[in-house]
């Protein structure tokens, strides 16, 4: 029985439980106008034992999957407690034409994850749509506040007591 909540493995009798990694692939942010390469990060975490092997594949326009060879890539590996990361450097000219896949081989089996490059236009569209929505909400709030202020001013002003403006048939206005 495992009593530790912080670890990702438990020792039951003489065996340790093998836990498959959780794999995620992210594009790394770069300054596109300055960089000639873009980066992909493949993160494997929450696994036991912590030893993994990364491999990258790519697919162009629904074509066959091809292995990213050492001539096509520069790969860096980073290890820290609880996770291992592989960083793939991609030439900028290729970053919008391929779908990239990361495979992580582990004692518990192989786990695959993918990212579609070239969807930066969609992200830009979503950001512009979000800005438009916030602008509309701010304008709506301003119109609401101005309308409410105008109503409060008119309500507090009350009926006029000046004889030139007031029409009251019961009293005589004699100056």
């Amino acid at each position: 029985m495992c009593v530790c909540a912080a670890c990702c493995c438990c020792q039951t009798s003489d065996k340790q439980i093998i836990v498959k990694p959780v794999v995620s692939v992210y594009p790394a942010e770069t300054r596109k106008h300055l960089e000639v390469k873009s980066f992909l990060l493949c993160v494997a975490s929450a696994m036991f034992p912590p030893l993994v092997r990364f491999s990258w594949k790519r697919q162009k326009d629904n074509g066959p999957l091809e292995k990213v060879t050492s001539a096509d890539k520069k790969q860096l590996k980073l290890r820290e407690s609880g996770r291992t990361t592989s960083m793939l450097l991609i030439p900028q000219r290729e970053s919008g034409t391929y779908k990239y896949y990361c495979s992580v081989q582990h004692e518990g089996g192989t786990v695959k994850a993918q990212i579609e490059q070239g969807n930066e236009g969609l992200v830009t569209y979503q950001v512009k749509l979000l800005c438009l929505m916030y602008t509309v909400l701010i304008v709506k709030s301003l119109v609401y506040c101005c309308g409410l202020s105008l109503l409060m001013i008119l309500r507090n002003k009350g009926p006029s007591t000046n004889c030139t403006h007031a029409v009251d048939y019961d009293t005589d206005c004699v100056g």
Side-chain angles (χ1 to χ4, degrees):
M1 180 171 163
C2 183
V3 293
C4 60
C7 71
C8 61
C9 69
C10 297
Q11 192 161 353
T12 56
S13 56
D14 290 332
K15 291 175 129 185
Q16 286 188 336
I17 296 173
I18 295 173
V19 179
K20 279 186 169 184
V22 175
V23 179
S24 304
V25 181
Y26 307 99
E29 284 293 321
T30 60
R31 292 180 221 143
K32 293 192 179 202
H33 61 282
L34 297 176
E35 302 289 332
V36 292
K37 296 184 183 244
S38 58
F39 304 92
L40 290 178
L41 299 176
C42 183
V43 181
S45 59
M47 68 258 181
F48 187 83
L51 299 174
V52 292
R53 180 183 297 156
F54 292 94
S55 62
W56 290 90
K57 293 185 179 181
R58 65 184 180 185
Q59 183 180 29
K60 185 175 185 176
D61 297 328
N62 295 324
L65 277 176
E66 56 187 54
K67 193 171 187 173
V68 179
T69 63
S70 59
D72 298 328
K73 71 174 178 180
K74 288 185 180 178
Q75 184 177 344
L76 303 170
K77 288 184 185 174
L78 304 169
R79 285 202 172 120
E80 50 185 9
S81 85
R83 78 182 106 212
T84 305
T85 303
S86 172
M87 185 167 63
L88 181 67
L89 283 71
I90 305 166
Q92 192 68 22
R93 67 181 185 277
E94 294 179 6
S95 67
T97 57
Y98 287 97
K99 289 181 188 176
Y100 285 88
Y101 299 85
C102 174
S103 294
V104 177
Q105 295 154 352
H106 182 260
E107 277 187 46
T110 301
V111 181
K112 298 177 183 179
Q114 81 174 41
I115 185 166
E116 292 186 25
Q117 289 291 98
N119 61 357
E120 290 85 9
L122 179 62
V123 172
T124 304
Y125 173 75
Q126 289 174 337
V127 168
K128 287 181 180 178
L129 190 61
L130 188 64
C131 288
L132 176 67
M133 184 179 75
Y134 277 117
T135 304
V136 168
L137 288 173
I138 289 170
V139 169
K140 178 185 152 197
S141 296
L142 286 172
V143 168
Y144 180 77
C145 283
C146 290
L148 220 101
S149 297
L150 184 63
L151 285 174
M152 292 298 290
I153 290 169
L154 291 175
R155 182 175 163 230
N156 289 338
K157 191 173 183 182
S160 178
T161 57
N162 190 347
C163 286
T164 57
H165 296 296
V167 178
D168 191 358
Y169 295 106
D170 294 325
T171 59
D172 292 334
C173 279
V174 178

